[in-house]
Amino acid sequence: EAGVVQSPRYKIIEKKQPVAFWCNPISGHNTLYWYRQNLGQGPELLIRYENEEAVDDSQLPKDRFSAERLKGVDSTLKIQPAELGDSAVYLCASSPTSSANIQYFGAGTRLSVL
Amino acid sequence: QKEVEQDPGPLSVPEGAIVSLNCTYSNSAFQYFMWYRQYSRKGPELLMYTYSSGNKEDGRFTAQVDKSSKYISLFIRDSQPSDSATYLCVTGGFKTIFGAGTRLFVKA
């Protein structure tokens, strides 16, 4: 079974530029999460989806971040415009309904904003 | 105060040593307790998962939860260089809370 797939793995952009990350969760997993992980820190939740619905986006900086999960499968996370402080690893995870607390993570996208 | 506290390390041990990783949490309502392992430049992967106080063993790994003191431990027996990674203590109820992780180095 394929795991959570994220792309790109690495992205280097200049500040004020837009950037987008893509995530394909494990097949059949209804719950999808986007996290941000700063160096030396644990993942911090940005947004959680149940199917197509964003059920927790309280930590998403909505002035510059947006996310969508069309058709309840793939998801994209966008930053526009990027700031220097957005440099981090962006992780996507998914969970099956049967084990909602257990999250399966992708390898992440490492973003560097110059 | 952070909801989950872990010593960031790094912790360096010789191969074959018994490793003890610990964390504390603040909310007595937290219902589940997990340890994730994260290798460099990889995503976290689930190592251990439990709902209750007491011990849970899986091979060389033992997770221990003490709800009365809000204390979670992970023991690794016969540690191997391949155990070198960051170990994230995770707990929660409605929301999942990740600790900052403890970096472990096992020297051959």
Side-chain angles (χ1 to χ4, degrees), chain B residues 25-99:
Chain B
Y25 62 95
S26 60
N27 191 336
S28 57
F30 286 159
Q31 300 167 357
Y32 53 86
F33 310 92
M34 300 184 278
W35 285 95
Y36 276 76
R37 177 175 61 194
Q38 186 172 23
Y39 290 113
S40 180
R41 300 188 181 273
K42 301 287 188 182
E45 58 178 341
L46 181 66
L47 200 56
M48 300 286 285
Y49 175 65
T50 182
Y51 276 109
S52 57
S53 278
N55 294 348
K56 182 175 182 178
E57 189 174 317
D58 184 0
R60 296 184 296 112
F61 299 90
T62 299
Q64 187 175 82
V65 176
D66 183 343
K67 288 187 178 181
S68 63
S69 58
K70 298 197 278 291
Y71 198 82
I72 308 167
S73 299
L74 178 71
F75 299 98
I76 306 174
R77 291 184 298 281
D78 187 26
S79 57
Q80 302 295 310
S82 58
D83 295 328
S84 298
T86 296
Y87 290 80
L88 300 165
C89 172
V90 185
T91 182
F94 176 71
K95 288 192 175 187
T96 299
I97 310 297
F98 287 80

Side-chain angles (χ1 to χ4, degrees), chain A residues 9 37 42 56 101 103 106 110, chain B residues 32 36 38 41 43 95 99:
Chain A
R9 287 297 315 276
Q37 186 174 27
D56 185 356
N101 300 323
Q103 300 177 29
R110 183 174 297 270
Chain B
Y32 53 86
Y36 276 76
Q38 186 172 23
R41 300 188 181 273
K95 288 192 175 187

